Amino acid sequence: MIKNYLKIAFRNLFKSKTYSSINIFGLSVGIACSLLILLYLTNEFSYDKFHENSDRIYRAWVHEDYGDGDIYWNTTSPIRLKSSIEQHIPEAELVARRYIYNDRVKTSQSAESFSESIQLVDPEFFQMFDFELLKGDPEAVFSQPTNLVLSETAAKRYFGTTDVLEKTLLVKVMDDFMPFTVTGLIEDHPSNSSITYQVLIPFEQAQKLFSEGALNGWFSVSPETYVQVSQSSDAEKTRAKLIDMMKLELGERWPQSNYTVGLQPVTDIHLNPNVPVGIADVSDPTYLYILAGIALLVLLIACVNFMTLSISRSTSRAKEVGIRKTIGAERTHLMYQFWGEAFLMTILALGVGILFVEFMLPYFNQLSGTALNFHLNTQTLSLMLALIGFISLVAGIYPALILSGFKPVEVLKGRANIKSNRSLFRTGMVVFQFTLSIFLIASTLIINDQLDFLRSKDLGYQKEHILVVQVDDNPTQETGFTGMMEEARQRTDLLRSQLAAVPGVKELAVSLHTPADQGWMNADFRDTNDKQYQFNINLVDPNYLGLMNLKFIRGRTFSEEITSDLQQGMIINQAFADALGLEDPLNQILPGPDFQNHEIIGVTDNFNYASLRTEVEPLAMVINPVIIFSGIDNIGVASTQPKISLNIDTENIPKTIESIQQAWKSISPGEPFNYYFLDQAVDRQYRQEEQLSRIVTFGSTLAIIIACLGLFGLASLMVVRRTKEIGVRKVLGASSKGIIILVNKEFTRLLVIAFALALPLAWYAMHSWLQNFAYSINIGITSFLIAGIITLIVAWITVGYQSFKATIINPVDSLKGE
Amino acid sequence: MIKLSGISKYLDKKFQRTFILRSIDLEIEQGEFVSIMGPSGAGKSTLLNILGFLDEPNDGEYYFLDEPVHNLSERQKSEYHKSHIGFVFQAYHLIDELTVYENIEMPLLYRKVKGKERKSLVADMLDKFNIVAKKDLFPNQLSGGQQQVVGVARALIGNPKLILADEPTGNLHSEQSEYIMQLFKQLNQEEGVTIIQVTHSDAMAAYGNRVINLQDGAIVTKNPY
């Protein structure tokens, strides 16, 4: 019996080649698309689960609540938290901290140093996590404070080999390069690990990096603290013990801050956007959901294709149903048969789909920024089995349930009164497909419009032809920010004199931040009425505002001639003036009680120094940071490395960069020359949006291709069915044009319905997406119209071709068969 | 074998009831060869369909081998289709995707006959109808007469007690028609198979031993032609 079913399924497959290839192609694209995205999703959900004890490892968070919404929640924690947990929480088996700082590393042989992210970890790190130590003793790699562990990649980078034990690497700790002995080689972290590393040194070195206050205080958070609890521990009890621990540690100071320590499962870090970001990498799950949604849509469109096409073919299959029933087939026999055919088709489609996956994977990795591999293993096999089951069930549902119910008398006589509701179903499916297509196309257009807007909006400063060079320097305890800025400024002066002869460089200036920096220095203070003000800070030199071509609403920029500018001058933006409630802020001061002598000398317009997702926030720019630091309550510092901005000529840029590099090497020997263009950095802020745009474009292209394939098949079958009608019309004198219009009219009506359905859906989806931006376009009707017209034209071409073929048949031939 | 009493079939359309069959009383004994005749629209095919359980009457009772058909479930009906009734159609109704051999074999598959037995039964049938040479051809490679021979072979392979033929020769030219009718006659006389056929042609009706004339859904005694 099964042999007979298979035979008939295969012969049907080969008999109608167009139909079969449309079906298989459409399904295989749908399968490939969903396989890729499923691979991606499983990878995302597998983060940090490879540790043997992943269900017992937690990351500590600290939470301070001063009332009135004055809340601080961090997943980086105080340095001393480890010893407190070890002392008070008996179920904590292992406690390991990790802290990352960026500084320079070099080998003893080379004069040049390299920027590296250096990680301080406790020795427990190697026992808690399942990162394999390829060389060295996991119990003793950090027996000395100057031991060091390298990842395979880092080992090859610095020594060209993985045979690195006992070699010496010089690592900059604060002001000096310190020699470290390599005692371990660790495998590169898996791609699905939130914890990443290159160069690891013992946490004891923190003594040199942090001040006394940070080392022993509870209110300075730097490292992440990971805790492995015992198997028998009770989460509820541990939570209570952690609260008791903090009450004990802070004593009578506790009620003021309501200081609590909690634990977040390590497997939760990657995809939980509700917990603040620490050091570990996280991803935004919203985009995962969008991705999964698109995969499902494409797969659904492919399944719908399968259904509509099998409905159209049901006229011919109905006869078979009738015959089989008269010779004794039961309904279940026929259901098995039709589902079996869907299953066979799906398996073939899966084969082709796997080829597509192999072919598309590199491109997909580029789209999603991942390094996925496709292997046949139990995981991918079970994924594929699930897909086959899902698709053959969904795609085969119409023939299996409806066709098998046909009455033999009716179908054998050729009068099927089921026709009307069948065509309603088919119509519904076509409308569904085109609604999705128009939805995706309109969304693509709107996303791209918004991206264009983001890229081309006048940000209020010059971003073109500005080269930014990072000065690799951190403030030392002795000099502080003032000293650091001063040093950078001296270096800029040196550079300026060196570059005076280079024709390409017009101007250069120093600042702590440049637009598009992630996280600016920010601070807050309270005035005498206890009103709180928050603002961002940029430390600049007198030339910086001129170089950036900022527009002033009131007052003037800094001047090197006026000594008071250098010591007391402050320039704020309009948003700050508004926040302060000052009509004319010139010559005024900030309303905090403790600020040193200062004076607001200018107000700029609200230039977009951050991304267009957020409104422009208050900003103060000063040359001397002390006038601000003296009066504020809290400060947040994201980066302490000053930057030199160079305004360069458009001509011969590579040569200009070459000259700048030469000059840089001579004034800062051994320091890497890291540079970027400002406009590129600004664009990079919208990388996620660009990724989204590429993925949606990809999805909508696939959707429209598959939908049109379905339409093509549908139109060809419809034309076959109406050949006689067309013949009769021709005999009665209809023109070819009239007939093409007649056939197209039916589909056009469906498209109009689809358009009407897609419009509110796409508007709603895009409107919610645009809420992510403080500055966004207005959704006009144009994008929808274009989406509708594209779909209409593609559909007309598809259907028109088929109907044209029908009209050129001689009516004598088409009518003879009757 | 067959007993109809008061069988009626009608269509209700808004205010009007159109009768297709009016109160048919009919008895057919095992071993008869009956021809149903009548003009187009007389209800011949509907009657045949009712006899073959493919259609249901609106009124009346139908006993097949003393079993009340109106009480049979779908499953029991399909059991009878497997074991007692064979159909032959005017348009042959072979499955285009299957070869001659496979078309003839198909009823045995639904009857779960073992592979070896199936093979010998189909071989017998091919032999009996002289179509061994054609067994691997598809229906569209055969002439109409040959297709109908395959249709008859398929109807017979289940060894049915009753063959229902709806204008079996309607699409055939006279020579082919005669061949099919000879076949029917032979089956009827030598193997005792009951045959009921619908036909327009007196010549074809002459092969049978009884004629039922239908006009406007009712049995009439005289030949309506």
Side-chain angles (χ1 to χ4, degrees):
Chain A
M1 196 81 238
I2 290 169
K3 208 173 113 198
N4 184 274
Y5 288 159
L6 273 180
K7 226 184 284 178
I8 235 186
F10 267 114
R11 285 185 190 152
N12 262 318
L13 212 65
F14 287 112
K15 194 179 146 203
S16 34
K17 291 197 188 66
T18 327
Y19 163 81
S20 309
S21 34
I22 287 175
N23 247 343
I24 291 178
F25 180 76
L27 268 184
S28 58
V29 172
I31 288 175
C33 195
S34 12
L35 261 183
L36 281 175
I37 291 173
L38 281 173
L39 272 180
Y40 178 71
L41 290 178
T42 37
N43 182 57
E44 285 291 316
F45 286 110
S46 73
Y47 260 70
D48 301 316
K49 293 197 173 125
F50 56 89
H51 302 297
E52 195 195 333
N53 296 322
S54 61
D55 56 330
R56 294 196 279 136
I57 302 175
Y58 296 85
R59 178 174 70 172
W61 48 256
V62 296
H63 190 270
E64 299 158 60
D65 183 355
Y66 296 92
D68 287 340
D70 195 5
I71 289 171
Y72 300 88
W73 190 17
N74 287 295
T75 49
T76 48
S77 42
I79 292 171
R80 63 174 298 178
L81 182 64
K82 174 175 155 80
S83 57
S84 289
I85 289 180
E86 282 167 343
Q87 192 184 340
H88 296 287
I89 313 292
E91 54 263 51
E93 289 176 345
L94 296 167
V95 183
R97 293 164 296 188
R98 62 188 286 256
Y99 174 72
I100 290 178
Y101 72 101
N102 289 300
D103 215 324
R104 275 172 280 155
V105 166
K106 63 178 185 180
T107 55
S108 43
Q109 287 86 6
S110 91
E112 200 179 351
S113 62
F114 304 90
S115 280
E116 182 60 272
S117 88
I118 298 150
Q119 186 155 185
L120 307 181
V121 296
D122 287 304
E124 289 91 338
F125 181 88
F126 301 101
Q127 284 136 48
M128 186 187 296
F129 298 114
D130 288 19
F131 302 119
E132 198 190 344
L133 210 55
L134 303 171
K135 283 178 186 157
D137 175 4
E139 306 281 328
V141 276
F142 279 175
S143 52
Q144 299 294 320
T146 55
N147 287 348
L148 182 143
V149 173
L150 279 178
S151 75
E152 270 185 287
T153 308
K156 283 183 191 137
R157 184 159 63 235
Y158 294 116
F159 297 103
T161 167
T162 54
D163 199 12
V164 288
L165 290 192
E166 301 306 320
K167 295 204 172 178
T168 302
L169 194 68
L170 297 163
V171 178
K172 201 159 178 231
V173 183
M174 283 317 274
D175 300 332
D176 307 308
F177 277 105
M178 272 178 63
F180 281 83
T181 312
V182 180
T183 48
L185 178 76
I186 194 164
E187 65 168 344
D188 284 337
H189 58 79
S191 63
N192 56 352
S193 172
S194 306
I195 297 170
T196 59
Y197 47 76
Q198 298 290 335
V199 173
L200 300 144
I201 60 173
F203 202 85
E204 286 150 276
Q205 296 297 341
Q207 301 290 344
K208 298 200 182 67
L209 289 168
F210 292 98
S211 67
E212 191 57 29
L215 286 171
N216 295 311
W218 280 104
F219 298 94
S220 168
V221 290
S222 300
E224 284 183 327
T225 307
Y226 288 85
V227 182
Q228 179 177 321
V229 299
S230 62
Q231 251 148 352
S232 58
S233 71
D234 176 333
E236 220 28 70
K237 281 182 192 152
T238 313
R239 188 172 306 146
K241 280 184 201 167
L242 283 166
I243 292 171
D244 291 343
M245 173 186 89
M246 285 319 297
K247 285 184 178 164
L248 206 69
E249 291 282 358
L250 289 173
E252 57 194 27
R253 285 186 298 156
W254 189 81
Q256 189 203 346
S257 60
N258 284 301
Y259 203 117
T260 38
V261 175
L263 298 174
Q264 176 191 22
V266 69
T267 50
D268 185 51
I269 294 173
H270 184 66
L271 286 178
N272 190 343
N274 300 320
V275 178
V277 177
I279 297 171
D281 288 342
V282 296
S283 92
D284 182 353
T286 326
Y287 284 85
L288 292 188
Y289 298 139
I290 293 179
L291 211 56
I294 289 176
L296 194 67
L297 287 190
V298 172
L299 192 62
L300 270 184
I301 292 180
C303 283
V304 165
N305 247 0
F306 193 107
M307 276 196 262
T308 44
L309 287 175
S310 52
I311 293 164
S312 309
R313 275 167 43 87
S314 58
T315 331
S316 61
R317 294 312 294 274
K319 183 186 137 197
E320 187 190 326
V321 171
I323 299 170
R324 284 183 181 269
K325 281 198 167 176
T326 55
I327 58 172
E330 286 165 36
R331 193 166 174 183
T332 43
H333 288 133
L334 294 162
M335 282 165 71
Y336 291 144
Q337 184 186 343
F338 286 121
W339 252 316
E341 282 179 25
F343 183 71
L344 182 78
M345 201 77 110
T346 312
I347 296 224
L348 288 174
L350 181 75
V352 183
I354 289 174
L355 290 180
F356 282 154
V357 168
E358 292 286 345
F359 179 70
M360 297 196 307
L361 196 58
Y363 181 60
F364 180 81
N365 275 334
Q366 219 180 339
L367 273 184
S368 59
T370 48
L372 301 175
N373 283 310
F374 183 70
H375 299 300
L376 277 185
N377 52 30
T378 42
Q379 197 192 15
T380 49
L381 272 178
S382 49
L383 266 181
M384 288 191 287
L385 278 181
L387 266 182
I388 292 178
F390 174 78
I391 296 169
S392 42
L393 200 70
V394 171
I397 206 160
Y398 177 83
L401 294 186
I402 312 288
L403 272 184
S404 68
F406 283 175
K407 290 242 182 316
V409 165
E410 284 161 355
V411 290
L412 290 182
K413 279 285 174 190
R415 61 177 142 89
N417 58 4
I418 41 259
K419 210 176 165 186
S420 60
N421 68 38
R422 187 174 46 173
S423 75
L424 187 73
F425 184 76
R426 193 181 60 214
T427 310
M429 290 288 136
V430 174
V431 170
F432 175 72
Q433 276 187 319
F434 278 94
T435 307
L436 291 184
S437 302
I438 295 173
F439 170 80
L440 284 172
I441 295 175
S443 303
T444 314
L445 292 172
I446 292 169
I447 290 173
N448 284 330
D449 275 358
Q450 171 69 5
L451 266 177
D452 278 346
F453 169 78
L454 293 177
R455 290 203 199 97
S456 60
K457 183 178 183 297
D458 179 13
L459 300 174
Y461 57 86
Q462 186 188 342
K463 62 174 179 174
E464 291 80 20
H465 324 308
I466 302 253
L467 188 75
V468 182
V469 180
Q470 278 168 307
V471 180
D472 208 2
D473 204 359
N474 287 310
T476 57
Q477 274 159 36
E478 296 88 64
T479 56
F481 277 104
T482 331
M484 170 197 78
M485 286 297 291
E486 191 50 47
E487 199 200 309
R489 209 171 304 152
Q490 283 165 12
R491 241 198 276 194
T492 318
D493 288 339
L494 269 172
L495 199 60
R496 183 182 287 125
S497 60
Q498 289 263 344
L499 290 174
V502 179
V505 181
K506 290 189 206 155
E507 183 52 74
L508 56 171
V510 183
S511 60
L512 179 61
H513 293 299
T514 53
D517 271 8
Q518 300 290 312
W520 282 44
M521 184 187 283
N522 58 75
D524 59 74
F525 65 94
R526 284 167 195 274
D527 64 13
T528 41
N529 299 325
D530 214 31
K531 182 168 187 244
Q532 197 187 27
Y533 299 93
Q534 288 189 325
F535 63 107
N536 293 322
I537 304 164
N538 199 4
L539 311 182
V540 297
D541 79 359
N543 298 320
Y544 184 71
L545 278 69
L547 179 128
M548 291 302 288
N549 212 355
L550 296 183
K551 292 175 202 64
F552 279 80
I553 292 176
R554 287 164 195 281
R556 56 179 176 80
T557 183
F558 297 112
S559 164
E560 276 180 294
E561 267 86 72
I562 304 169
T563 5
S564 67
D565 276 8
L566 304 180
Q567 290 306 315
Q568 303 172 4
M570 175 185 291
I571 291 171
I572 62 173
N573 67 355
Q574 184 60 44
F576 205 177
D578 293 343
L580 294 168
L582 293 176
E583 188 71 14
D584 181 5
L586 287 189
N587 306 318
Q588 302 259 24
I589 57 167
L590 298 181
D594 300 325
F595 285 108
Q596 277 182 14
N597 220 0
H598 67 280
E599 182 190 4
I600 296 173
I601 60 164
V603 182
T604 69
D605 71 349
N606 283 337
F607 64 103
N608 294 97
Y609 58 94
S611 92
L612 292 170
R613 277 184 216 108
T614 49
E615 294 280 356
V616 175
E617 290 169 355
L619 173 70
M621 291 171 282
V622 292
I623 296 173
N624 175 15
V626 175
I627 56 175
I628 286 180
F629 292 169
S630 56
I632 55 177
D633 299 335
N634 290 295
I635 186 166
V637 181
S639 157
T640 57
Q641 298 180 317
K643 299 186 176 89
I644 300 173
S645 300
L646 300 99
N647 188 357
I648 59 171
D649 245 338
T650 42
E651 292 201 5
N652 213 349
I653 290 175
K655 187 148 179 274
T656 311
I657 293 176
E658 177 79 33
S659 319
I660 298 169
Q661 185 166 13
Q662 292 295 330
W664 180 259
K665 283 215 165 139
S666 69
I667 60 163
S668 324
E671 199 176 304
F673 179 66
N674 291 326
Y675 72 93
Y676 59 84
F677 285 99
L678 186 58
D679 49 357
Q680 287 169 1
V682 170
D683 285 350
R684 249 200 310 277
Q685 297 179 100
Y686 311 114
R687 217 172 33 199
Q688 216 174 25
E689 281 76 18
E690 260 171 53
Q691 214 176 69
L692 176 74
S693 141
R694 277 190 303 229
I695 287 171
V696 176
T697 311
F698 180 69
S700 56
T701 314
L702 283 184
I704 187 98
I705 288 176
I706 300 178
C708 277
L709 276 178
L711 191 63
F712 183 82
L714 213 56
S716 66
L717 291 165
M718 189 197 71
V719 164
V720 168
R721 225 175 40 236
R722 292 174 75 169
T723 311
K724 185 186 152 202
E725 181 198 327
I726 292 170
V728 172
R729 281 176 189 272
K730 269 185 96 168
V731 169
L732 294 176
S735 66
S736 294
K737 201 178 90 194
I739 288 166
I740 292 175
I741 289 173
L742 173 85
V743 176
N744 273 304
K745 216 165 69 183
E746 192 180 320
F747 288 107
T748 309
R749 211 187 63 228
L750 300 184
L751 279 176
V752 170
I753 298 172
F755 180 74
L757 288 173
L759 199 111
L761 282 177
W763 185 86
Y764 179 74
M766 285 298 104
H767 181 74
S768 338
W769 179 69
L770 288 174
Q771 298 305 306
N772 290 328
F773 302 90
Y775 302 87
S776 64
I777 52 166
N778 290 316
I779 305 178
I781 189 77
T782 334
S783 306
F784 296 106
L785 285 181
I786 294 174
I789 289 170
I790 290 176
T791 319
L792 196 62
I793 289 175
V794 176
W796 270 345
I797 292 172
T798 318
V799 179
Y801 168 73
Q802 288 294 341
S803 46
F804 175 72
K805 260 191 1 194
T807 57
I808 53 175
I809 300 175
N810 188 338
V812 174
D813 294 328
S814 58
L815 295 178
K816 202 163 64 183
E818 294 296 313
Chain B
M1 184 186 208
I2 287 172
K3 186 165 182 287
L4 301 181
S5 62
I7 291 286
S8 289
K9 177 84 183 168
Y10 48 78
L11 289 174
D12 281 333
K13 271 192 188 154
K14 278 189 182 158
F15 309 108
Q16 200 184 354
R17 174 168 288 187
T18 317
F19 276 93
I20 300 165
L21 292 176
R22 286 173 207 266
S23 185
I24 302 279
D25 296 314
L26 181 64
E27 266 187 68
I28 294 169
E29 297 300 324
Q30 196 142 1
E32 279 195 274
F33 186 165
V34 180
S35 304
I36 303 175
M37 296 191 72
S40 286
K44 307 183 296 288
S45 294
T46 307
L47 180 58
L48 198 74
N49 286 335
I50 289 175
L51 290 175
F53 313 161
L54 296 179
D55 208 348
E56 277 165 27
N58 296 90
D59 277 324
E61 289 173 341
Y62 172 17
Y63 294 90
F64 183 78
L65 295 171
D66 296 331
E67 189 88 46
V69 175
H70 41 270
N71 291 340
L72 291 180
S73 68
E74 281 298 321
R75 194 181 188 94
Q76 285 166 313
K77 282 182 188 172
S78 99
E79 282 303 317
Y80 275 113
H81 283 158
K82 283 183 201 169
S83 54
H84 286 75
I85 305 174
F87 289 91
V88 177
F89 304 95
Q90 176 179 5
Y92 331 126
H93 284 332
L94 302 177
I95 293 180
D96 298 335
E97 288 78 22
L98 296 180
T99 61
V100 166
Y101 183 96
E102 290 156 357
N103 261 297
I104 297 175
E105 182 190 29
M106 197 168 52
L108 301 177
L109 293 171
Y110 285 116
R111 213 165 302 167
K112 299 194 170 65
V113 177
K114 293 270 175 305
K116 218 175 208 169
E117 198 187 339
R118 221 161 54 212
K119 228 176 227 171
S120 75
L121 281 172
V122 177
D124 282 352
M125 208 47 84
L126 290 168
D127 206 28
K128 190 169 176 179
F129 292 111
N130 276 323
I131 43 174
V132 179
K134 308 247 181 327
K135 73 179 171 63
D136 292 324
L137 298 181
F138 287 94
N140 57 12
Q141 295 167 306
L142 301 175
S143 72
Q146 288 167 329
Q147 287 194 46
Q148 194 58 295
V149 170
V150 177
V152 173
R154 185 180 64 185
L156 285 175
I157 193 147
N159 205 12
K161 308 264 182 303
L162 170 66
I163 284 191
L164 298 171
D166 193 351
E167 297 196 44
T169 58
N171 285 6
L172 303 178
H173 57 74
S174 56
E175 203 178 314
Q176 292 170 325
S177 302
E178 262 171 47
Y179 178 70
I180 296 290
M181 279 303 128
Q182 283 297 343
L183 243 164
F184 275 177
K185 194 168 181 179
Q186 202 180 337
L187 284 169
N188 177 253
Q189 287 176 349
E190 291 172 14
E191 296 179 29
V193 179
T194 314
I195 296 174
I196 304 175
Q197 68 162 344
V198 164
T199 182
H200 279 293
S201 148
D202 284 324
M204 299 302 134
Y207 284 92
N209 47 25
R210 178 174 160 196
V211 173
I212 295 169
N213 289 309
L214 273 187
Q215 191 165 25
D216 295 335
I219 295 178
V220 291
T221 41
K222 69 170 178 52
N223 185 339
Y225 289 107

